[in-house]
Amino acid sequence: MKRLSLVILVLSVILGSCQSVVKSKQTTNIPSSWNVDKTIMDSKIDSLLALMTLEEKIGQTVLLTSNRDVTGPSVNKDYEKLIMEGKVGNIFNAYGADFTRKLQKLAVENTRLGIPLLFGYDVIHGHKTIFPISLGESASFDLEAIELASRIAAIEASAEGLHWTFAPMVDISRDPRWGRISEGSGEDVFYSCEVAKARVKGFQGNDLKATNTILACAKHYAAYGAAQAGRDYHTVDMSDRELRTTYLPPFKATVDAGVATFMTSFNELNGVPATGNDYLLKDILREEWGFRGFVVTDYQSINEMVPHGVVDNDKDAVEMAMNAGVDMDLQGEVYSKHLKELIDEGKVSEEKLNTAVRRVLELKFALGLFEDPYRYSNKERQKEYVMSAEHLEAARDVARKSMVLLKNDKQALPLAKNIKVALIGPLGNTERDMIGSWSGAGKHKDDPVTVLEGFIEKIGKENVTYVQGTKLSRYMKRSDKQSRKGFSEAIAAAKKADVIVAAMGELQNMSGEASSRTDLDLPGNQQELLKELKKLGKPIILVLLNGRPLTLEWENNNMDAILEAWFPGTMGGHAIADIVFGDANPSGKLPITFPRSLGQVPIYYNMKNTGRPIDPSRKINTYKSMYLDNPNTPLYPFGYGLSYTSFEYENLMLSTDTITNTQNIKVAIDVKNTGDFDGEEVVQLYIQDKIGSVTRPVRELKGFQKVLIKKGETKTVTFDVSVEDLRFYDIDMNFVAEKGAFNMFVGGDSNATITKEFNY
Ligand code: BGC
């Protein structure tokens, strides 16, 4: 009898807590890449939750940095002790098979329930083999290459014990003052969705349990790239139409691709910080999109709701964040401090906490950590894969594909290999700058190949003279007096050379987080130096290393060729040399508009027409939507990029002139390589909805294909346009296609002029 009542008691305790657990069950569909047996997963997590104390549950919502690498303002020195006490269930900035194994052991062997740690890190454009910065990689318009770069990053990171990357960053931005524009995929919605999906697929693969895949994280949710005046962390205020039309689609695309986690953004949106924003986190992310994984904050962004001014103290911020559905606190150390009290006071329900914990545990389960917590920390795999010859070769290839030839007067490029080159400029021999910001665990010294090293390997030491010429520093202003000390040495070297290659742009830390700028000209006195060099009358090739659109009107008028190389990664110097000396033909296109002057910002190709558009055929346009002192057009439009060869487009053909709900239009266009080199072209298709219930952009990208066309060859490139491509938010905010007439444009950039009309 006694025994029976004990059994009943135990059962009711288990059932009681199971009931609350059961209520916290996730109802949305599990993405296929999780590859889990839901019944087994549920029962594992139910039984764990039933055993966990409140403190242990809270521990699973805590993410702390290790002291190995620090990406924000603070570190808790006691993190190892906290791991052993079960007070922190997740660690970031820890990598390396041995180090992660050591920390994992602390959790598995010391805590009561032995729940494994989850290790996260900013594996953004490579782990140790660094690829071009994300904006650069996006300029490749090569989704396979982009996916491969993320795949390789995941292979290296997972071998070093990492389970989770804080990428992809899918923030659209149209303001190059914002330094983080370098981390995204540019200005366009359609293209950014494609890139976002490719990156999620690259990181996560088809099976989270595979030891070479890691969880991806869509960040920063949401509208972070619309910070006022391009100032990082600044206010964002926009209509729901703009939010849903421009800023949310790439996030939705990651959900559709099965992304495992989301990170909130630092900014407020329409008066409410994103980290406590019910509309974003509950209504849209969970209810509309059915997102299944967990949501982590950005660095201390719960705490930042206090200075934002929506709460008076950290405790109230925690209440706001948890109730909005934020599952994990990144380095804020405020869930650990205040959640218990808030639950005791009934301000946060235990149910809420259970849901958050379940979401975290589900992904630990999907990664296979409950079967073997050490399965990712693998020294052999680390040795075999990290910076393998194959990965380095891939990095070189992606870097080549990402470079954009902006100007090439009289075929100034490619250069012959038997000439004397004066390599001049502050970025000609700097290892650190080659790999850009957020270069993960990439070594800052030795590994990155500089431009000088690339040139030496290509044409021999005796043919290259390098002179720095001028210096850059992160905080320099135009008004600062710049030294011309290095000019004379640069000029002397240039005098002895056949051609000048200027490696100029920004230091890597002049773009990226907290790196907003109010001046987009070449910083410092780089332009002054170019002016001096120009006086010599020798050809000048400008190779740009930078993380954002710059204003280059003078350079465009005065340089013989301009190659946008971004921050090209570990193998950057070799990739630049491959292009400059003609072993590879540039094929990148701009994923973002380059303005003529800062005053044009924001400037992007899919603007609206306005009621007073200018008439380009007239010399004088008065009372029109225009500037007096500059054309409306940018210096280089979205989608633009030259090749060493040339392409001609003709014979745009549509299978029908009417799209229906069941009938697509098959589009075909002939693209001929009319130059002397084999080359790749990014064929782009744009659509304009002529009349809408709300005004529509002048055109929008709806398809692109990168094709290799041999010299003299013609390829017929085809697209399939369906009613899905015509949808937008109508006057009632329904996402529909409206009947009417449309224009289609096909060509090599967003100014494409070959056009046909069709109807829906
Ligand atoms: C950045 C995030 C990053 C996080 C963790 C923050 O400062 O905004 O993008 O993932 O730090 O390092």
Side-chain angles (χ1 to χ4, degrees):
M1 185 65 190
K2 249 188 178 166
R3 239 187 141 156
L4 187 66
S5 52
L6 189 69
V7 170
I8 291 172
L9 183 74
V10 169
L11 266 180
S12 66
V13 168
I14 291 174
L15 281 177
S17 53
C18 276
Q19 259 172 9
S20 76
V21 169
V22 168
K23 268 201 239 146
S24 83
K25 278 224 164 94
Q26 295 266 56
T27 47
T28 46
N29 288 336
I30 299 178
S32 63
S33 60
W34 292 27
N35 200 13
V36 289
D37 180 321
K38 188 172 178 311
T39 319
I40 301 176
M41 178 172 79
D42 281 351
S43 92
K44 170 76 192 171
I45 294 170
D46 287 348
S47 58
L48 266 179
L49 274 167
L51 295 171
M52 289 168 87
T53 63
L54 207 54
E55 285 79 3
E56 285 166 338
K57 288 180 186 172
I58 292 169
Q60 293 302 310
T61 69
V62 175
L63 173 60
L64 283 189
T65 179
S66 85
N67 57 1
R68 166 133 208 188
D69 184 8
V70 180
T71 49
S74 74
V75 191
N76 185 323
K77 292 200 182 64
D78 287 336
Y79 72 95
E80 293 197 4
K81 186 164 156 268
L82 295 173
I83 293 174
M84 291 196 276
E85 291 167 359
K87 290 187 177 150
V88 45
N90 315 280
I91 291 288
F92 72 116
N93 295 339
Y95 58 86
D98 286 341
F99 188 46
T100 49
R101 190 171 274 270
K102 177 192 136 195
L103 296 183
Q104 190 65 291
K105 217 165 166 222
L106 297 181
V108 172
E109 292 184 8
N110 292 283
T111 59
R112 199 173 64 93
L113 297 170
I115 299 175
L117 293 169
L118 182 74
F119 291 110
Y121 192 54
D122 289 283
V123 182
I124 309 292
H125 50 106
H127 179 57
K128 282 192 168 154
T129 302
I130 303 297
F131 287 77
I133 55 162
S134 307
L135 185 64
E137 226 176 70
S138 305
S140 70
F141 276 80
D142 185 331
L143 296 174
E144 276 175 30
I146 292 170
E147 186 181 327
L148 179 72
S150 300
R151 183 87 288 283
I152 288 175
I155 292 171
E156 293 193 359
S158 56
E160 293 220 322
L162 289 165
H163 311 130
W164 177 28
T165 173
F166 307 139
M169 190 273 220
V170 300
D171 294 307
I172 293 223
S173 182
R174 291 162 173 190
D175 194 330
R177 289 172 294 185
W178 191 55
R180 302 200 82 168
I181 210 162
S182 59
E183 296 176 47
S185 46
E187 71 186 38
D188 187 54
V189 178
F190 174 84
Y191 184 53
S192 294
C193 290
E194 297 302 305
V195 173
K197 285 188 275 184
R199 291 197 168 128
V200 170
K201 211 165 152 229
F203 289 128
Q204 297 195 165
N206 301 321
D207 179 8
L208 290 185
K209 209 177 260 91
T211 47
N212 62 6
T213 59
I214 53 178
L215 310 178
C217 178
K219 73 184 190 186
H220 308 83
Y221 187 64
Y224 184 34
Q228 278 179 11
R231 206 178 78 205
D232 208 359
Y233 319 121
H234 205 358
T235 310
V236 177
D237 196 302
M238 66 172 62
S239 68
D240 202 41
R241 177 178 307 285
E242 179 64 349
L243 178 70
R244 286 175 179 273
T245 302
T246 306
Y247 293 88
L248 293 188
F251 287 98
K252 171 67 164 48
T254 65
V255 174
D256 295 342
V259 74
T261 71
F262 256 58
M263 182 185 283
T264 63
S265 54
F266 288 124
N267 56 284
E268 66 158 84
L269 175 66
N270 302 336
V272 184
T275 302
N277 197 309
D278 280 358
Y279 180 58
L280 285 176
L281 295 167
K282 281 189 191 156
D283 301 354
I284 298 179
L285 183 61
R286 296 288 177 190
E287 272 155 43
E288 274 182 41
W289 298 351
F291 172 62
R292 172 87 191 191
F294 70 76
V295 175
V296 65
T297 69
D298 202 345
Y299 213 107
Q300 300 180 327
S301 64
I302 301 176
N303 323 43
E304 290 181 12
M305 291 202 282
V306 179
H308 266 299
V310 287
V311 282
D312 176 50
N313 53 56
D314 287 350
K315 186 174 160 197
D316 291 351
V318 168
E319 181 183 341
M320 192 168 169
M322 188 41 103
N323 283 334
V326 169
D327 305 303
M328 195 184 282
D329 169 12
L330 186 151
Q331 196 57 26
E333 297 194 74
V334 284
Y335 271 9
S336 49
K337 255 187 221 130
H338 302 293
L339 262 181
K340 182 165 182 314
E341 202 179 325
L342 285 164
I343 290 171
D344 290 344
E345 290 168 5
K347 290 183 175 157
V348 168
S349 70
E350 192 170 347
E351 236 5 87
K352 268 259 162 216
L353 175 64
N354 285 343
T355 304
V357 176
R358 177 179 293 280
R359 287 175 181 150
V360 175
L361 295 180
E362 281 193 349
L363 283 162
K364 291 188 176 182
F365 180 89
L367 288 162
L369 293 178
F370 289 112
E371 280 164 39
D372 174 5
Y374 304 104
R375 57 205 302 270
Y376 292 83
S377 312
N378 185 309
K379 270 185 113 164
E380 282 74 51
R381 275 208 314 272
Q382 180 173 291
K383 212 164 146 220
E384 182 175 353
Y385 293 117
V386 173
M387 299 201 76
S388 69
E390 195 190 326
H391 291 182
L392 290 171
E393 195 42 50
R396 182 169 178 162
D397 190 44
V398 176
R400 282 190 297 243
K401 288 181 165 147
S402 72
M403 290 178 198
V404 186
L405 184 62
L406 297 174
K407 180 181 179 186
N408 197 17
D409 227 16
K410 301 195 199 103
Q411 304 261 351
L413 282 177
L415 299 180
K417 287 182 187 150
N418 57 354
I419 53 165
K420 299 262 179 235
V421 174
L423 176 63
I424 291 169
L427 293 157
N429 196 26
T430 57
E431 290 163 324
R432 176 66 192 93
D433 296 302
M434 296 311 285
I435 57 178
S437 72
W438 289 120
S439 32
K443 270 214 267 163
H444 296 169
K445 279 224 152 289
D446 305 332
D447 287 349
V449 178
T450 67
V451 185
L452 177 62
E453 287 162 351
F455 278 23
I456 288 176
E457 187 173 297
K458 191 70 79 185
I459 60 170
K461 213 171 169 178
E462 62 288 1
N463 290 322
V464 198
T465 309
Y466 172 64
V467 180
Q468 191 186 36
T470 182
K471 283 193 178 144
L472 290 174
S473 77
R474 173 165 151 88
Y475 293 99
M476 75 194 331
K477 292 197 209 77
R478 286 228 132 218
S479 53
D480 294 345
K481 191 153 169 38
Q482 313 289 340
S483 158
R484 291 168 72 99
K485 230 168 111 198
F487 281 25
S488 52
E489 196 192 339
I491 291 163
K495 277 186 181 158
K496 289 192 213 134
D498 301 312
V499 60
I500 301 161
V501 176
M504 297 187 174
E506 300 179 300
L507 295 176
Q508 60 81 24
N509 61 9
M510 293 170 104
S511 59
E513 189 177 351
S515 305
S516 299
R517 293 182 55 219
T518 62
D519 185 345
L520 301 180
D521 290 348
L522 275 183
N525 60 4
Q526 298 180 101
Q527 198 188 86
E528 295 307 307
L529 176 55
L530 289 176
K531 282 181 180 157
E532 293 302 323
L533 294 169
K534 171 93 183 159
K535 289 181 191 159
L536 303 177
K538 304 210 172 183
I540 311 183
I541 314 298
L542 175 61
V543 174
L544 289 167
L545 292 105
N546 54 295
R548 49 152 65 86
L550 297 172
T551 43
L552 300 165
E553 197 142 47
W554 182 88
E555 289 75 7
N556 185 57
N557 291 336
N558 291 282
M559 298 293 99
D560 296 272
I562 306 179
L563 179 70
E564 175 55 82
W566 315 103
F567 295 114
T570 310
M571 298 296 275
H574 286 318
I576 291 172
D578 289 342
I579 299 255
V580 166
F581 296 99
D583 288 337
N585 189 351
S587 63
K589 300 272 186 170
L590 293 178
I592 190 145
T593 305
F594 274 42
R596 291 174 193 278
S597 81
L598 181 61
Q600 292 180 312
V601 166
I603 179 168
Y604 46 94
Y605 80 92
N606 56 341
M607 291 205 150
K608 304 284 187 74
N609 206 33
T610 82
R612 291 189 175 192
I614 50 171
D615 176 353
S617 67
R618 291 175 64 154
K619 248 195 159 156
I620 302 203
N621 278 273
T622 42
Y623 292 102
K624 298 289 187 187
S625 175
M626 58 173 277
Y627 301 104
L628 296 178
D629 57 346
N630 238 331
N632 284 1
T633 53
L635 184 62
Y636 307 120
F638 173 86
Y640 168 83
L642 304 170
S643 163
Y644 293 155
T645 190
S646 48
F647 298 101
E648 260 174 42
Y649 286 70
E650 55 184 11
N651 300 331
L652 175 60
M653 293 204 293
L654 275 50
S655 59
T656 159
D657 62 5
T658 308
I659 281 190
T660 69
N661 289 346
T662 53
Q663 179 182 270
N664 299 354
I665 296 184
K666 306 252 181 260
V667 181
I669 184 134
D670 293 337
V671 187
K672 183 167 189 198
N673 182 337
T674 50
D676 297 329
F677 296 81
D678 298 345
E680 283 184 287
E681 170 69 331
V682 181
V683 182
Q684 301 159 46
L685 180 143
Y686 295 84
I687 289 176
Q688 176 194 22
D689 184 350
K690 289 166 87 168
I691 314 276
S693 57
V694 294
T695 57
R696 308 285 293 117
V698 290
R699 60 179 61 187
E700 293 171 290
L701 183 72
K702 292 294 173 183
F704 65 93
Q705 282 190 50
K706 191 163 190 172
V707 280
L708 172 68
I709 310 178
K710 297 230 153 81
K711 63 177 170 190
E713 195 185 58
T714 299
K715 266 203 179 148
T716 304
V717 178
T718 59
F719 296 91
D720 196 48
V721 179
S722 81
V723 66
E724 293 304 315
D725 298 310
L726 312 181
R727 289 182 195 273
F728 69 103
Y729 289 98
D730 73 359
I731 186 80
D732 301 316
M733 289 302 288
N734 294 315
F735 194 62
V736 294
E738 289 180 347
K739 296 273 175 191
F742 297 79
N743 283 327
M744 177 184 298
F745 306 88
V746 182
D749 63 43
S750 57
N751 286 337
T753 49
I754 299 183
T755 180
K756 284 234 154 120
E757 202 180 285
F758 67 95
N759 297 296
Y760 165 61

